[in-house]
Amino acid sequence: MYKRLPSLRRLMLSIATVLIFNAADAQSAAGARIDIDMGKTIGPMYPAWAWFGYDEPNYTYMKDGKKLLSEIAELSPGPVYVRTHSLLVSGDGKAALKWGSTNAYTEDANGNPVYNWTIIDSIFDTYIQRGMKPLAQVGFMPEALSTHPQPYRHYWKPGDPYTDIITGWAYPPKDYNKWAELVYQWVKHSVDRYGKKEVESWYWELWNEPNGHYWKGTMEEFHKLYDYTADAIKRALPTAKVGGNNIAGTASSGAQKWLRAFFEHCLRGTNYVTGKTGSPLDAILFHAKGWPRLVNGTVRMSMGNQLRDIEAGFKLVASYPELKGLPIIIGESDPEGCAACGMHTNPENAYRNGTMYSSYTAASFARKYMLADLYKVNFLGAVSWSFEFEDQPWFYGFRDLATNGVDKPVLNVFRMFGKMKGNRVEVVSDRAYDLRTAVDSSFRRNYTDINAMACSDKRSATIMVWNYHDDDLKGVAETVQLQLKGLPTGKMKLSHYLIDDQFSNAYEVWKKMGAPQNPTPAQVKELEAAGKLHLLKQPEQVSAVKGRLPVSFSLPRQGVSFLQLEW
């Protein structure tokens, strides 16, 4: 068809095409202008980011696990919530990839329950000692209660089929009353050990992704298990908070069917325990995941997939007047679905060690807040399913926050979030992807998303700025021009932190060392220091004139800047 165009029309089409691409290039070269009005409040800043989780509960009380939990607790001004799998799984308590056990429940020769809280106590003690709170997952099925107990222990490793992890722990109980008594005794023990007020501040939730691999029963069997679980929790502590149902792939039609059926059961269904209408529901949980792929040898993220899951969940909750005020916890919220699948077996996960993961995290959390504002839901938190993997190769490409006790760049984004308080304020960037584009088609245009999130407090203001694109490519630094207004007139201190290849990045330092798998003590010390959040330069005194302050700086692709003004 193109060949049949008259020559003049072909020429005009060619010129127009060139102009379009040149305009995009010019826009990119021009950098970004971001206008921030510190006097225009959008809503309160709340720590939706201060939620973390992982598959392997026994890492909690190991050397690097305790170290990382201490760092996570320290970076947050309020309590951090932690969710982990396998708290009721049978076994010897030895940690392994995608496996954990506590042996909380066994039976004697006569089939009588034997409860042992030693390992669970070690896990929860580690949290409580650091001021953290459990998002206590009730699961999975103890071997003695499973309707299909063998095989039970798995030995999955990266590269194996994911479904190899699904064994006897994924099945319904053979005796629902014994299951309920286990849950009751666990909650009662928690109250006795930590106190009623402490346990009232936790959230309890049943299982994980029942619409996926993790549940080998039917939907109705899951509803039955939920009723027995919620009833047991409330009998032990009537003021406890319990929720569900942590479905996978929330935007899919199958997941929507599961979530809607769960809501209907809790609101209008017949309770399997009481025979009455409805079941307790104090919080709503669902999952949201991206979907990175290799495109011509380059990792291409898909944040839009994750955002569509979140939107679908928020939208469905908002459609129920009875549920709209309930807290929503995104039980897992990540760039993809398998934290233990390293980049050597899954090359699409090669983004995890460096600045792609950190810039993705900044850009995605900002959109989570925006979606919550749009649907006017009670968004409480989003669990980043990333922790650490004990005694594994350095920078193996797991989805983790630290490797062998050394922080990755992504953890520094959470350190930035920990400094943001007060109210979220209006931000307008001429290089931002609008929310609809981000959700519908992700970040794939021929320019990056240079955008910001800002907060204003009584004696300070904070601004997080990122330069993000789905394609994991490096690029030249671009000029960011911040135009701030609504500040108090006068002098103030400006501190500028940065995450890029040169700052707050232990991975780049490790590579320059020659990527050692057995670094010396001196090298480890250097890496630990490099992994912390670093200032771009020493804080400086600046002056706002009539409440206005321009700030200009360069920001490379995948970079995240954080500016803190104090007066």
Side-chain angles (χ1 to χ4, degrees), residues 98-114:
K98 298 197 74 65
W99 173 260
S101 61
T102 66
N103 226 37
Y105 181 92
T106 54
E107 292 181 355
D108 64 18
N110 296 318
N112 297 311
V114 178

PDB file of all heavy atoms in Angstrom, residues 98-114:
ATOM      1  N   LYS A  98      12.386 -22.000  49.058  1.00  0.00           N
ATOM      2  CA  LYS A  98      10.937 -22.201  48.949  1.00  0.00           C
ATOM      3  C   LYS A  98      10.432 -23.286  49.901  1.00  0.00           C
ATOM      4  O   LYS A  98       9.462 -23.997  49.613  1.00  0.00           O
ATOM      5  CB  LYS A  98      10.533 -22.506  47.501  1.00  0.00           C
ATOM      6  CG  LYS A  98      10.871 -21.358  46.545  1.00  0.00           C
ATOM      7  CD  LYS A  98      10.147 -21.462  45.243  1.00  0.00           C
ATOM      8  CE  LYS A  98       8.672 -21.090  45.385  1.00  0.00           C
ATOM      9  NZ  LYS A  98       8.474 -19.667  45.749  1.00  0.00           N
ATOM     10  N   TRP A  99      11.060 -23.412  51.029  1.00  0.00           N
ATOM     11  CA  TRP A  99      10.663 -24.396  52.037  1.00  0.00           C
ATOM     12  C   TRP A  99      10.916 -23.822  53.416  1.00  0.00           C
ATOM     13  O   TRP A  99      11.858 -23.059  53.640  1.00  0.00           O
ATOM     14  CB  TRP A  99      11.449 -25.694  51.877  1.00  0.00           C
ATOM     15  CG  TRP A  99      11.209 -26.673  52.991  1.00  0.00           C
ATOM     16  CD1 TRP A  99      12.017 -26.900  54.086  1.00  0.00           C
ATOM     17  CD2 TRP A  99      10.088 -27.532  53.148  1.00  0.00           C
ATOM     18  NE1 TRP A  99      11.452 -27.861  54.900  1.00  0.00           N
ATOM     19  CE2 TRP A  99      10.259 -28.273  54.347  1.00  0.00           C
ATOM     20  CE3 TRP A  99       8.934 -27.766  52.383  1.00  0.00           C
ATOM     21  CZ2 TRP A  99       9.336 -29.200  54.803  1.00  0.00           C
ATOM     22  CZ3 TRP A  99       8.003 -28.699  52.839  1.00  0.00           C
ATOM     23  CH2 TRP A  99       8.211 -29.407  54.023  1.00  0.00           C
ATOM     24  N   GLY A 100      10.069 -24.215  54.336  1.00  0.00           N
ATOM     25  CA  GLY A 100      10.274 -23.884  55.736  1.00  0.00           C
ATOM     26  C   GLY A 100       9.384 -24.770  56.575  1.00  0.00           C
ATOM     27  O   GLY A 100       8.404 -25.355  56.081  1.00  0.00           O
ATOM     28  N   SER A 101       9.709 -24.888  57.829  1.00  0.00           N
ATOM     29  CA  SER A 101       8.892 -25.729  58.711  1.00  0.00           C
ATOM     30  C   SER A 101       9.071 -25.296  60.158  1.00  0.00           C
ATOM     31  O   SER A 101      10.091 -24.708  60.530  1.00  0.00           O
ATOM     32  CB  SER A 101       9.278 -27.202  58.554  1.00  0.00           C
ATOM     33  OG  SER A 101      10.634 -27.421  58.902  1.00  0.00           O
ATOM     34  N   THR A 102       8.059 -25.591  60.961  1.00  0.00           N
ATOM     35  CA  THR A 102       8.111 -25.279  62.396  1.00  0.00           C
ATOM     36  C   THR A 102       7.760 -26.478  63.269  1.00  0.00           C
ATOM     37  O   THR A 102       8.010 -26.445  64.462  1.00  0.00           O
ATOM     38  CB  THR A 102       7.129 -24.152  62.743  1.00  0.00           C
ATOM     39  OG1 THR A 102       5.785 -24.626  62.539  1.00  0.00           O
ATOM     40  CG2 THR A 102       7.371 -22.911  61.884  1.00  0.00           C
ATOM     41  N   ASN A 103       7.137 -27.486  62.675  1.00  0.00           N
ATOM     42  CA  ASN A 103       6.704 -28.671  63.422  1.00  0.00           C
ATOM     43  C   ASN A 103       5.788 -28.311  64.584  1.00  0.00           C
ATOM     44  O   ASN A 103       5.813 -28.929  65.646  1.00  0.00           O
ATOM     45  CB  ASN A 103       7.896 -29.485  63.939  1.00  0.00           C
ATOM     46  CG  ASN A 103       7.737 -30.973  63.674  1.00  0.00           C
ATOM     47  OD1 ASN A 103       7.217 -31.363  62.634  1.00  0.00           O
ATOM     48  ND2 ASN A 103       8.177 -31.806  64.607  1.00  0.00           N
ATOM     49  N   ALA A 104       4.948 -27.315  64.352  1.00  0.00           N
ATOM     50  CA  ALA A 104       4.045 -26.852  65.409  1.00  0.00           C
ATOM     51  C   ALA A 104       3.006 -27.897  65.780  1.00  0.00           C
ATOM     52  O   ALA A 104       2.522 -27.915  66.920  1.00  0.00           O
ATOM     53  CB  ALA A 104       3.346 -25.570  64.966  1.00  0.00           C
ATOM     54  N   TYR A 105       2.682 -28.773  64.825  1.00  0.00           N
ATOM     55  CA  TYR A 105       1.632 -29.761  65.095  1.00  0.00           C
ATOM     56  C   TYR A 105       2.079 -31.152  64.682  1.00  0.00           C
ATOM     57  O   TYR A 105       2.478 -31.392  63.535  1.00  0.00           O
ATOM     58  CB  TYR A 105       0.367 -29.396  64.320  1.00  0.00           C
ATOM     59  CG  TYR A 105      -0.794 -30.357  64.553  1.00  0.00           C
ATOM     60  CD1 TYR A 105      -1.721 -30.109  65.547  1.00  0.00           C
ATOM     61  CD2 TYR A 105      -0.945 -31.511  63.774  1.00  0.00           C
ATOM     62  CE1 TYR A 105      -2.791 -30.981  65.773  1.00  0.00           C
ATOM     63  CE2 TYR A 105      -2.006 -32.384  63.989  1.00  0.00           C
ATOM     64  CZ  TYR A 105      -2.922 -32.118  64.988  1.00  0.00           C
ATOM     65  OH  TYR A 105      -3.960 -32.985  65.209  1.00  0.00           O
ATOM     66  N   THR A 106       2.021 -32.070  65.610  1.00  0.00           N
ATOM     67  CA  THR A 106       2.176 -33.496  65.327  1.00  0.00           C
ATOM     68  C   THR A 106       1.125 -34.240  66.143  1.00  0.00           C
ATOM     69  O   THR A 106       0.361 -33.624  66.903  1.00  0.00           O
ATOM     70  CB  THR A 106       3.583 -34.012  65.700  1.00  0.00           C
ATOM     71  OG1 THR A 106       3.855 -33.669  67.073  1.00  0.00           O
ATOM     72  CG2 THR A 106       4.649 -33.384  64.810  1.00  0.00           C
ATOM     73  N   GLU A 107       1.070 -35.529  65.985  1.00  0.00           N
ATOM     74  CA  GLU A 107       0.134 -36.332  66.769  1.00  0.00           C
ATOM     75  C   GLU A 107       0.872 -37.499  67.404  1.00  0.00           C
ATOM     76  O   GLU A 107       1.854 -38.019  66.844  1.00  0.00           O
ATOM     77  CB  GLU A 107      -0.996 -36.845  65.884  1.00  0.00           C
ATOM     78  CG  GLU A 107      -1.915 -35.741  65.391  1.00  0.00           C
ATOM     79  CD  GLU A 107      -3.067 -36.236  64.530  1.00  0.00           C
ATOM     80  OE1 GLU A 107      -3.108 -37.458  64.221  1.00  0.00           O
ATOM     81  OE2 GLU A 107      -3.929 -35.405  64.164  1.00  0.00           O
ATOM     82  N   ASP A 108       0.394 -37.913  68.577  1.00  0.00           N
ATOM     83  CA  ASP A 108       0.992 -39.076  69.239  1.00  0.00           C
ATOM     84  C   ASP A 108       0.446 -40.362  68.621  1.00  0.00           C
ATOM     85  O   ASP A 108      -0.346 -40.330  67.661  1.00  0.00           O
ATOM     86  CB  ASP A 108       0.776 -39.022  70.753  1.00  0.00           C
ATOM     87  CG  ASP A 108      -0.687 -39.108  71.165  1.00  0.00           C
ATOM     88  OD1 ASP A 108      -1.530 -39.549  70.348  1.00  0.00           O
ATOM     89  OD2 ASP A 108      -1.002 -38.738  72.309  1.00  0.00           O
ATOM     90  N   ALA A 109       0.838 -41.479  69.169  1.00  0.00           N
ATOM     91  CA  ALA A 109       0.449 -42.768  68.600  1.00  0.00           C
ATOM     92  C   ALA A 109      -1.058 -42.986  68.606  1.00  0.00           C
ATOM     93  O   ALA A 109      -1.585 -43.769  67.806  1.00  0.00           O
ATOM     94  CB  ALA A 109       1.136 -43.894  69.372  1.00  0.00           C
ATOM     95  N   ASN A 110      -1.755 -42.293  69.481  1.00  0.00           N
ATOM     96  CA  ASN A 110      -3.208 -42.433  69.571  1.00  0.00           C
ATOM     97  C   ASN A 110      -3.960 -41.367  68.769  1.00  0.00           C
ATOM     98  O   ASN A 110      -5.190 -41.274  68.860  1.00  0.00           O
ATOM     99  CB  ASN A 110      -3.648 -42.366  71.029  1.00  0.00           C
ATOM    100  CG  ASN A 110      -3.094 -43.520  71.835  1.00  0.00           C
ATOM    101  OD1 ASN A 110      -3.076 -44.665  71.368  1.00  0.00           O
ATOM    102  ND2 ASN A 110      -2.622 -43.232  73.059  1.00  0.00           N
ATOM    103  N   GLY A 111      -3.212 -40.542  68.009  1.00  0.00           N
ATOM    104  CA  GLY A 111      -3.848 -39.501  67.199  1.00  0.00           C
ATOM    105  C   GLY A 111      -4.188 -38.247  67.950  1.00  0.00           C
ATOM    106  O   GLY A 111      -4.932 -37.388  67.448  1.00  0.00           O
ATOM    107  N   ASN A 112      -3.638 -38.092  69.143  1.00  0.00           N
ATOM    108  CA  ASN A 112      -3.889 -36.873  69.924  1.00  0.00           C
ATOM    109  C   ASN A 112      -2.918 -35.771  69.511  1.00  0.00           C
ATOM    110  O   ASN A 112      -1.749 -36.035  69.247  1.00  0.00           O
ATOM    111  CB  ASN A 112      -3.725 -37.157  71.417  1.00  0.00           C
ATOM    112  CG  ASN A 112      -4.724 -38.171  71.918  1.00  0.00           C
ATOM    113  OD1 ASN A 112      -5.923 -38.059  71.649  1.00  0.00           O
ATOM    114  ND2 ASN A 112      -4.239 -39.189  72.627  1.00  0.00           N
ATOM    115  N   PRO A 113      -3.390 -34.519  69.465  1.00  0.00           N
ATOM    116  CA  PRO A 113      -2.536 -33.413  69.045  1.00  0.00           C
ATOM    117  C   PRO A 113      -1.363 -33.179  69.992  1.00  0.00           C
ATOM    118  O   PRO A 113      -1.498 -33.298  71.212  1.00  0.00           O
ATOM    119  CB  PRO A 113      -3.479 -32.208  69.060  1.00  0.00           C
ATOM    120  CG  PRO A 113      -4.855 -32.780  68.982  1.00  0.00           C
ATOM    121  CD  PRO A 113      -4.781 -34.097  69.701  1.00  0.00           C
ATOM    122  N   VAL A 114      -0.220 -32.852  69.417  1.00  0.00           N
ATOM    123  CA  VAL A 114       0.956 -32.420  70.165  1.00  0.00           C
ATOM    124  C   VAL A 114       1.384 -31.083  69.581  1.00  0.00           C
ATOM    125  O   VAL A 114       1.729 -30.990  68.396  1.00  0.00           O
ATOM    126  CB  VAL A 114       2.108 -33.442  70.069  1.00  0.00           C
ATOM    127  CG1 VAL A 114       3.334 -32.922  70.815  1.00  0.00           C
ATOM    128  CG2 VAL A 114       1.681 -34.799  70.606  1.00  0.00           C
TER     129      VAL A 114
END
